[in-house]
């Protein structure tokens, strides 16, 4: 089957080759990696939507009652999921950087790569700051959701 042949090709390239950069290139250019990245990005969008909905509802309740609620277990779980999504994005960028080397900065997808790096830096700085401006946090969320455009772009061109 084709899936088996692709799997065997992956093992030959990644395990049998002394040049591990070719393995990173093979992974970064593969359809399955693009599709997995797309699914992770979609899951991130769903988590962002759920977190935003919960935060907005809590803000309305606080405005009406004047009593601020503690974070729920669900809110803490979504915050943990955001860290997992951030680690995935770092991994994905590193695979693309190692695999494509200089093309990462000058290739056709360089602007998407720069967006990913900006999202990583902004999210990392927002997570490390004790107080984050609400508008800044919203901009970061919008940028992370915009990554779905990149995933759609990859899938569109990988099928042709």
């Amino acid at each position: 089957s084709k899936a088996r042949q692709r799997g065997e090709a992956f093992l030959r390239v990644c395990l049998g080759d002394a040049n591990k950069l070719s393995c990173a290139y093979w992974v970064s250019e593969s359809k399955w990696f693009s599709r997995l990245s797309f699914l992770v990005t979609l899951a991130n969008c769903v988590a962002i939507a759920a977190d935003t909905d919960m935060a907005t509802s809590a803000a309305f309740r606080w405005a009406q009652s004047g009593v601020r609620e503690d974070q729920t277990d669900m809110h803490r779980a979504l915050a943990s999921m955001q860290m997992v999504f951030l680690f995935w994005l770092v991994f994905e960028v590193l695979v693309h950087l190692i695999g494509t080397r200089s093309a990462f900065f000058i290739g056709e997808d360089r602007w998407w790569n720069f967006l990913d790096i900006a999202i990583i830096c902004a999210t990392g700085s927002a997570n490390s700051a004790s107080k984050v401006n609400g508008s800044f946090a919203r901009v970061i969320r919008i940028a992370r959701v915009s990554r779905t455009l990149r995933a759609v772009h990859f899938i569109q061109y990988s099928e042709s």
Side-chain angles (χ1 to χ4, degrees), residues 41 44-45 48 82 86 89 111-112 114-123 135-151:
T41 302
N44 188 16
C45 289
I48 288 171
Q82 289 302 321
L86 178 62
L89 180 56
W111 299 114
W112 291 110
F114 294 148
L115 174 66
D116 287 346
I117 291 171
I119 291 169
I120 290 169
C121 293
T123 306
S135 327
F136 182 64
R138 280 189 288 280
V139 168
I140 293 170
R141 286 179 172 203
I142 290 168
R144 291 184 80 172
V145 170
S146 71
R147 288 197 74 245
T148 56
L149 296 174
R150 177 185 182 155

Side-chain angles (χ1 to χ4, degrees), residues 4-51:
R4 182 180 173 101
Q5 289 173 345
R6 280 185 288 228
E8 289 172 355
F10 171 74
L11 291 175
R12 272 195 310 279
V13 168
C14 294
L15 299 179
D17 194 350
N19 183 1
K20 297 301 180 195
L21 293 179
S22 62
C23 178
Y25 177 78
W26 192 87
V27 170
S28 72
E29 297 299 313
S30 67
K31 287 182 183 180
W32 65 265
F33 189 72
S34 295
R35 289 180 177 149
L36 179 61
S37 295
F38 177 72
L39 291 175
V40 171
T41 302
L42 282 180
N44 188 16
C45 289
V46 170
I48 288 171
D51 189 42

Side-chain angles (χ1 to χ4, degrees), residues 43-44 46-52 54 72-85:
N44 188 16
V46 170
I48 288 171
D51 189 42
T52 302
M54 288 175 42
T72 64
D73 290 338
M74 179 61 100
H75 183 75
R76 284 188 288 278
L78 287 170
S80 297
M81 286 174 60
Q82 289 302 321
M83 289 305 296
V84 170
F85 292 131

